[in-house]
Amino acid sequence: MTVLSIIRDCLDALLHPSARYDALMRARHRAFMAPRLLGSLAAFAAFPVYLAMRGAPSAVEVAAFAWLIAPIMLSWFLSRTGRYEGAHVLSSLALVGLIMAVAVTTGGIQSFAAVWLVVVPLEAALSASRRVVAFASLLALSCAGMLILIGQLGWLPVEEPSAAERGVLMALGVASATLYAAGLAFGAESLARTSVALLSREEERYRLLARNMSDVISRHQPNGAVQFISPAVEAMLGVQVAQLLGHGLFDRVHVADRPAYLTALSDAARGDVGSVEFRLRREPVGSERGEVDFIWVEMRCRPLDPDLGRQHTDRDSTREVEVVAVMRDVTDRKLFEQALDQARSAAEAADAAKTGFLATMSHELRTPLNAIIGFSEMIAQEQSLMLGAAQRKEYAQLINDSGQHLLSVVNGILDMSKMESGNFEIASEPFAPRASLLHCCNLLALKARENGIDLITDAPQDLPVMTGDPRAFKQIVLNLVANAIKFTERGGQVSVSAAVSGSQLTLRISDTGVGIAPDDLKRIGARFFQAGRTYQRRHEGTGLGLSIVKSLVALHLGELTVQSRLGEGTAVTVKLPLVYTPPQVRPAESKIATLTPVLRQDLQDQTHDQSQDQPALVKKSA
């Protein structure tokens, strides 16, 4: 432990509590007390030696040594009260009192002590207070004027020192004043160095915070111009800070969000504290979310000086109040909110679909069951009803048809539940698609003739053998062709064609039926959904046919496209790979494919442009 550290610890013990936690104020209190305590103690230690060499002291010498008590009292005053400016005022008064006492007895304004009046304002400069410096300057000037006035009035002592003594005293006065001023200069330099070190440390601390905070801190004018923005914005937007100064940040705000952005800054300039969410354009290079043009940002802004902001509002002043803002990236939260909204909409749609499904099923199940029960009771009472053989055969056929319809409804529900649970397995094997296609069309040919519909099949002889699930392939064709026949009016036409394009087999089933409205086309293929209010109950069904087809196509890694125009017909295109390769790892998401709206195309042959106003096209990629 060095002597300086011991002295520092002693001085710290004397500090007022208000100065112990402020590094700069602590340094100022030390600089005030240290020279005064050390100087007084040194003078008192030298006083016996001075008496031994000088002998009996004069009145002036006694007054000078008595003044040495004043610095100790000033240090005690500062230690007790912590009033730094008050201690400097008292120090100036004590120093001026000593100077006046010595100068009056040694020649007035011509005394060697008069030069010390210059030191008074210099000592007061260490207080860092303009009021204390002004007071010390006026005090020194007043003392100089009083010495001149006393000399003019002849109130000075008659005895004057000789020229030699005057020269020695003047040299002593100048030298002592110079040394004291030098001590003050070193003290001022030490305080300045301490202040710079503390300022540099604070700047480094805030710079560290600004560089490592994920939130962006910015300083704005009320018109939105950026005066300062923290380096964290470079990671957020992918641009340099210099490009965002001025109106660079405003230029990156989404056009639709600019009024809200400027309104928030303007309100903050008037003293209101608030927040706003808006979109900012971001450079996609190095983006964690990929090619994203805009991100959502939440900005909290407040006036840099809240009191000034309130004065600005109360007085309607034209003075601009600067605004400080803190911005953070809330894109993930926005995406989560959008996902919640979509999930809520999907849940509401599922609830509506469930309600519609229950209403549909109550009809689809009740109708065939009523037919089965009714006609079976009639057959059971054939003797009393005197039924003939033809009637019994007709009733039995009706019972069989109702049972087959009931079985198809149950099978559709079971197949759909298997697909949703992931238990529907694809039994892949080679088969001839042409034969399967013709077989399905032959099965539905009778139904088409009964409805007065032309069923046209175009299956080239050279269709290659494909690998897949032949049962699922037949179910796809049967459902699509049956739907086309069901929704086509008498006298209409249903066309079924197959062709090979690349490594895919393309099936196209088109009809001239009622078609699908654009709003319903977006939901077509959803579970239990039946399009169109005006024709919803004109045809039987649960709305599972196209949904099953869509899921089967998805399981085969194929592609489904639905094109339709209300009142003109519908065309469904299915593309299946010629060689089905089961995926090694099944995706975690649902196997039920979804339909997404894309550009409009014509329902007619896609090789001819027959209309500029093209119908809506919904495309599904499995």
Side-chain angles (χ1 to χ4, degrees):
M1 182 177 293
T2 62
V3 177
L4 291 178
S5 61
I6 296 175
I7 296 175
R8 183 184 295 270
D9 293 340
C10 294
L11 290 174
D12 289 342
L14 296 175
L15 293 178
H16 190 265
S18 62
R20 293 177 181 176
Y21 305 103
D22 188 337
L24 182 58
M25 188 58 67
R26 187 166 61 247
R28 288 176 176 174
H29 282 225
R30 286 175 186 163
F32 182 88
M33 291 191 295
R36 285 167 175 80
L37 291 176
L38 294 177
S40 297
L41 293 176
F44 277 117
F47 187 61
V49 179
Y50 179 81
L51 290 178
M53 297 177 59
R54 175 74 175 178
S58 63
V60 176
E61 293 172 341
V62 172
F65 277 103
W67 175 83
L68 296 176
I69 302 176
I72 299 177
M73 298 301 295
L74 292 174
S75 299
W76 176 84
F77 173 81
L78 181 60
S79 176
R80 287 295 182 179
T81 65
R83 298 173 60 181
Y84 185 66
E85 293 185 3
H88 269 282
V89 170
L90 294 178
S91 178
S92 299
L93 290 173
L95 181 58
V96 167
L98 177 64
I99 295 172
M100 287 294 293
V102 175
V104 168
T105 57
T106 57
I109 194 63
Q110 297 179 359
S111 171
F112 70 94
V115 72
W116 273 74
L117 293 175
V118 179
V119 180
V120 176
L122 296 179
E123 183 187 58
L126 295 179
S127 66
S129 172
R130 290 185 178 181
R131 293 181 301 176
V132 175
V133 174
F135 172 78
S137 301
L138 291 176
L139 186 62
L141 292 174
S142 299
C143 291
M146 290 177 61
L147 291 176
I148 295 174
L149 180 61
I150 292 173
Q152 293 295 329
L153 295 176
W155 293 352
L156 294 176
V158 180
E159 297 182 0
E160 292 185 2
S162 62
E165 291 179 353
R166 185 179 299 173
V168 173
L169 292 176
M170 186 59 69
L172 179 62
V174 172
S176 60
T178 302
L179 291 176
Y180 193 79
L184 295 177
F186 280 113
E189 187 273 337
S190 177
L191 289 177
R193 186 169 62 251
T194 302
S195 178
V196 170
L198 293 175
L199 181 60
S200 177
R201 189 183 307 168
E202 290 296 322
E203 288 181 351
E204 184 62 28
R205 183 182 304 169
Y206 288 119
R207 192 178 297 112
L208 180 66
L209 291 175
R211 288 178 177 175
N212 293 277
M213 283 181 59
S214 58
D215 293 351
V216 177
I217 303 174
S218 55
R219 184 173 177 178
H220 303 256
Q221 294 180 353
N223 62 357
V226 177
Q227 292 182 317
F228 164 81
I229 191 165
S230 62
V233 74
E234 296 181 359
M236 178 184 290
L237 300 180
V239 295
Q240 298 296 324
V241 172
Q243 300 179 22
L244 301 175
L245 298 178
H247 293 284
L249 181 64
F250 174 78
D251 294 339
R252 289 185 168 272
V253 178
H254 194 280
V255 175
D257 299 333
R258 290 179 180 179
Y261 170 78
L262 294 177
T263 301
L265 291 176
S266 179
D267 292 342
R270 292 194 298 268
D272 297 333
V273 178
S275 63
V276 64
E277 293 181 354
F278 55 90
R279 287 161 288 182
L280 276 177
R281 188 175 74 253
R282 179 178 61 179
E283 297 298 329
V285 179
S287 173
E288 296 179 358
R289 301 183 184 85
E291 298 294 331
V292 180
D293 291 332
F294 287 88
I295 62 172
W296 278 98
V297 171
E298 180 188 31
M299 183 178 73
R300 296 182 178 273
C301 46
R302 60 184 303 160
L304 191 61
D305 187 350
D307 296 333
L308 188 59
R310 285 191 291 269
Q311 294 174 5
H312 175 78
T313 304
D314 298 338
R315 300 177 183 177
D316 194 19
S317 174
T318 58
R319 181 178 179 183
E320 293 184 347
V321 181
E322 295 181 354
V323 176
V324 61
V326 178
M327 293 181 290
R328 65 175 51 184
D329 186 354
V330 294
T331 305
D332 292 336
R333 191 191 74 192
K334 280 291 185 179
L335 293 177
F336 182 70
E337 291 176 355
Q338 292 176 3
L340 286 180
D341 292 338
Q342 293 176 359
R344 186 182 300 108
S345 300
E348 293 174 354
D351 184 69
K354 180 190 69 175
T355 303
F357 170 69
L358 293 176
T360 301
M361 288 299 298
S362 64
H363 172 81
E364 294 296 331
L365 296 178
R366 187 185 297 113
T367 300
L369 285 175
N370 287 335
I372 292 172
I373 293 172
F375 288 113
S376 62
E377 288 179 349
M378 295 177 68
I379 292 177
Q381 301 175 11
E382 60 177 339
Q383 293 182 354
S384 60
L385 296 177
M386 301 180 65
L387 298 178
Q391 288 178 318
R392 290 197 302 273
K393 181 178 180 181
E394 179 183 0
Y395 293 164
Q397 183 62 42
L398 292 174
I399 292 174
N400 181 268
D401 292 342
S402 299
Q404 291 295 333
H405 173 67
L406 187 61
L407 179 63
S408 67
V409 172
V410 174
N411 285 336
I413 296 175
L414 292 176
D415 288 342
M416 197 67 204
S417 64
K418 287 181 180 180
M419 294 177 188
E420 284 189 335
S421 62
N423 296 325
F424 193 95
E425 299 292 339
I426 298 295
S428 181
E429 61 182 65
F431 69 95
R434 183 175 186 275
S436 299
L437 183 64
L438 293 177
H439 176 70
C440 294
C441 291
N442 291 334
L443 289 177
L444 296 172
L446 178 60
K447 183 177 181 181
R449 285 197 298 270
E450 291 176 352
N451 293 345
I453 297 171
D454 293 334
L455 178 60
I456 302 173
T457 305
D458 181 12
Q461 295 284 346
D462 57 350
L463 283 180
V465 175
M466 65 181 298
T467 301
D469 191 332
R471 182 179 64 88
F473 180 83
K474 290 180 181 179
Q475 191 170 2
I476 291 172
V477 176
L478 287 174
N479 282 338
L480 291 178
V481 176
N483 266 352
I485 294 173
K486 182 193 301 185
F487 293 102
T488 301
E489 303 294 338
R490 180 174 295 274
Q493 176 179 300
V494 175
S495 300
V496 181
S497 63
V500 176
S501 61
S503 61
Q504 291 180 323
L505 176 69
T506 302
L507 298 177
R508 182 178 174 83
I509 296 91
S510 60
D511 60 68
T512 58
V514 295
I516 304 171
D519 293 339
D520 293 337
L521 192 59
K522 299 176 182 179
R523 297 182 56 196
I524 200 70
R527 293 172 295 159
F528 316 123
F529 174 72
Q530 291 180 315
R533 295 182 179 178
T534 58
Y535 49 89
Q536 185 170 1
R537 296 311 308 155
R538 290 175 57 188
H539 307 281
E540 63 182 15
T542 60
L544 292 176
L546 191 56
S547 180
I548 292 175
V549 169
K550 187 174 64 171
S551 300
L552 291 174
V553 172
L555 291 176
H556 277 84
L557 307 180
E559 182 179 306
L560 175 68
T561 302
V562 180
Q563 299 170 276
S564 183
R565 188 193 291 270
L566 192 62
E568 297 184 7
T570 304
V572 181
T573 302
V574 177
K575 294 183 179 181
L576 299 174
L578 292 176
V579 179
Y580 168 72
T581 303
Q584 297 296 328
V585 180
R586 293 185 178 182
E589 61 270 11
S590 173
K591 295 178 181 178
I592 307 302
T594 57
L595 298 176
T596 55
V598 294
L599 298 176
R600 296 190 174 187
Q601 294 185 0
D602 193 14
L603 262 178
Q604 306 300 328
D605 190 356
Q606 296 184 7
T607 59
H608 299 85
D609 296 328
Q610 297 182 359
S611 174
Q612 294 181 353
D613 184 14
Q614 297 175 335
L617 170 65
V618 174
K619 184 175 182 181
K620 193 271 327 176
S621 295

